[in-house]
Amino acid sequence: MSDLDKLLKAKIPCAETGIVIKRTICAICDPLFNCGIDAYVKDGIVIKIEGTQQHPMNHGLLCTKGLCNREYIYREDRIKTPMRRTGSKGTDQFERISWEEAYRIIAEKLLDIKTEFGPQAVSFFCGYPKWYRSFLSRLANDFGSPNFGTESSTCHTATIMAWKTMVGNFSAYDVTNAATFMAWAVNPFYSKPIDISKLYAAKERGMKVVVIDPRITPTVTKLADLHLRINPGTDGALASGMGKLIIDNDWLDHDYIENHVHGFEEYAHYVKNFDLKRVCEITGANKVDILKATEWYATNKPSCISQSGSAIVHHRNGFQNFRAIMSLCALTGNYDIKGGNFPIGTTYSHQWANFYTRENEFMSGTRRKDVLPRIGAQTFPLWNELVDEDQSMDMARHILEEKPYPIKAMVAFGLNHRMFPSPNNVLKAIDKLEFVVSTDLFMTEMCRHSNIVL
């Protein structure tokens, strides 16, 4: 084997091999992460993926998805050209068309519907990925439609709403400086592996770890000092019971409550209903473990609680469950302190860079003042007040009932009806529409029910 062959086999970037390293990011998850990537490129083809050592998010680490970027990019079943459906809905009967023809068909059809029914009759949706949400929202406003929605209607946005109604701002948690970490419904070994080293480091310096999860996960087996294995959806009952224990045992931060907490008396009256016996019956957890976990959190300070962007708020009572959990910060003074939970801003797609951008002005700057109420405005009034997008969980009902007005078309990026409650009902609603555009990476079931696929 020649020296050049050895260099090529080892994928060594140099003039002899023609391999160069391109710095980029992984966008498979969402802008909350955007881990740094060193892409080894030869003749315009990515031949190797590594994490960028100097990147502040991942420090050279990549999860399984990130490491599979080459396969992700070059899979043969990727959709590579625009397509128009030629058969009935749900079939694989499509023909390839040019981008110019696709744009023309889409523009003509959407403008026809706008002329006949009004701009609100066209709905815009963004599922996965998330980086272009600002641009699609802007497009909806330019078009004149109030109906821009996302999959966050049943996901992370509920946590943002909960924080807004409690402290006015989204908040994060400081594991690096915490003495006790309450890992509530999170499993970073699967969901955020780049955080594992930080947790191990904190554990080695003596941080207590309480895991609250119905499942036995790697976080339980590898990190937990205590595991509360509660019944799914009973998080709010557990948090309320913990609050009662903190009050009964006077583990309160009285100074913090007096100066920074509104509604303590009402809260204390409410949690009287959650005695330890009742909480154990509801949650299925052991009372000794509940008491120990509560004492650690309230007295072994500073303490922080992780927030799950999905698991807690995917339940019907998720919003209030989340508020109940984070109320523990107020009782113990573990908010806005080093090692506790602390406020952060949100800018581009919920990312935070320590300064505010004008993303909202960009999205809503062209919004008409005479637009009709967006999807879900009447069904979900709190959402409508706090979130600048429609509530997509009401989308199927709105389309099928045509109340308060008909929806005739949808432009969807990464829409997967299988992630909605009652997915068959969502598909039924989609099939009622006159015109559907789906933009996706692969030919999904939703794509097969669309008129144009990009």
Side-chain angles (χ1 to χ4, degrees), residues 14 18 37 86 106 135 156 195 218 223 236 304 336 422 424-425 428:
C14 58
I37 279 183
T86 58
I106 293 168
F135 309 103
H156 174 62
D195 268 3
L223 290 173
C304 63
D336 200 12
S422 304
N424 292 337
N425 203 44
K428 179 181 177 182

Side-chain angles (χ1 to χ4, degrees), residues 365-425:
T366 58
R367 180 176 298 153
R368 293 169 38 174
K369 298 186 183 300
D370 59 344
V371 292
L372 293 175
R374 55 171 71 108
I375 291 171
Q378 296 171 335
T379 312
F380 299 94
L382 182 61
W383 173 279
N384 190 56
E385 178 69 24
L386 295 177
V387 183
D388 193 21
E389 60 186 57
D390 70 38
Q391 177 39 265
S392 296
M393 295 303 103
D394 199 38
M395 177 181 67
R397 181 211 60 80
H398 189 129
I399 294 172
L400 293 171
E401 296 181 4
E402 298 192 353
K403 295 179 181 178
Y405 52 80
I407 302 289
K408 296 294 182 180
M410 177 177 289
V411 178
F413 284 62
L415 172 59
N416 179 5
H417 67 291
R418 294 291 177 189
M419 69 158 291
F420 282 70
S422 304
N424 292 337
N425 203 44

Side-chain angles (χ1 to χ4, degrees), residues 172 181 221 245 280 312 334 344 366 378 384-385 396 420 433 449:
F181 175 46
T221 57
L245 285 172
C280 290
I312 293 171
N334 277 308
I344 64 170
T366 58
Q378 296 171 335
N384 190 56
E385 178 69 24
F420 282 70
L433 298 173
H449 287 258

